[in-house]
Amino acid sequence: MNTTIGDRIRSLREFRDVTQEELAERAGVHVDTIRKLEQNVRQSARINTLRALARALDVQLERLLGQPTVTQELSEDGGLLALRDAIQDIAALPGVLSGNDLEDPPDADAWTADVKAATSQYWAGGYSELASTLPLLLRDGRAVAREVDTERVWRQLALAYQLAASLATQAGHPDWAFAAVEKQLAAAQRASDPLMEGMGISTLSWVLLRQGRWEQAQDVAVRKADALEPEFRKATPAQYAVYGNLLVAAATPAARQNNRDEAVSFLNTAEAAATRSGSVRAYGSAFSVIDVRTQQVNIALAGREPEPADALEIADSVDVSEITRPVHAASYRVDVAQAKYQTGDVDGALETLLEVEADQPEWIKFQTLAASTVREMLEAERRRNTPLRGLAARLGVDPSL
């Protein structure tokens, strides 16, 4: 039997020994919403309501929603558990005597090319294949750094750990991601590269956001952005890009805390930086005006009072073909689908989600917003919608609702 969101809420609430009324007060939601969810009268709620309930229950949102924490394909060479072991390298701990003989490291240039290829694979949404290759990439990188102790190698190792943090977060393992970011920042320091360190803080902010630590997610990003604020006339495109990415990172948790004006201010400054820099690819990421505008759509949907009409108006200025990273384009289109649904365009929302699934069939299975939107659509449907129910089944949402 499938476990519903309401079942999980009830189980967690009883484990915490709080009443429905107490949970409602802690979360800032109406007690009737909790009652209907627990009685399975309602099968879902707005994503911001679910975030508030998860925070009040002291659990990650992914656990409340039952997000998958495994990749689609099994691999003989790696996988998520192998990635965990590569991130949490026991042999690197002080006092641990490793019995493994160190293998000869690969050629530094060849390994650097592998890091670049893995980055492209991540942004293309190839999570299963990346999970099978990334553990070895991290182990090889540590071996290369022992043999070739240069700032260039440490910079590439920082990028490899950034990939590990990103993949672990997407797969619902933010605690592993936190450990990966810690090693990313250490490698960035060995590389004497403050911009690489800035990208590490941007990644950290995202990990903290997924852990529900919104205040800290905003604070670390803002502090690092202030420290790296570029000189207007002298800055390089990479400096603008890292600075802008940090402001984008700060905007999301600000909006989650209902500080939308502050979030909009962050994004306005980021857009000014993007206008100055032009389109930039640096430090395993990308930055451009179009990247900032996609985030403006996301911000309009955040907080306790979403503004989906505003989100769609902003979306009119976004040309999806200009988004250079396939996964980023997919994430933006899921936001658009949510905005369409909230404005009553159910058919448009479903069409958009099906298009995203066709483009990113593995990636979409990890997206809590996509699953939450489909749950809401199932609950509200007035006639049996076969395409909707097929999508629900593929996303792990009970199609019998």
Side-chain angles (χ1 to χ4, degrees), residues 159 167 174 246 255 278 308 379:
L159 287 173
L167 180 59
L246 285 163
E379 189 174 356

Side-chain angles (χ1 to χ4, degrees), residues 70-76 78-80 127-132 362 366:
V70 296
T71 49
Q72 191 169 8
E73 300 173 6
L74 292 173
S75 169
E76 295 180 1
L80 288 178
Y127 291 171
S128 290
E129 188 174 350
L130 182 59
S132 71
E362 183 175 14
F366 294 95

Side-chain angles (χ1 to χ4, degrees), residues 73 79 231 288 378:
E73 300 173 6
E231 293 187 41
S288 67
L378 274 176

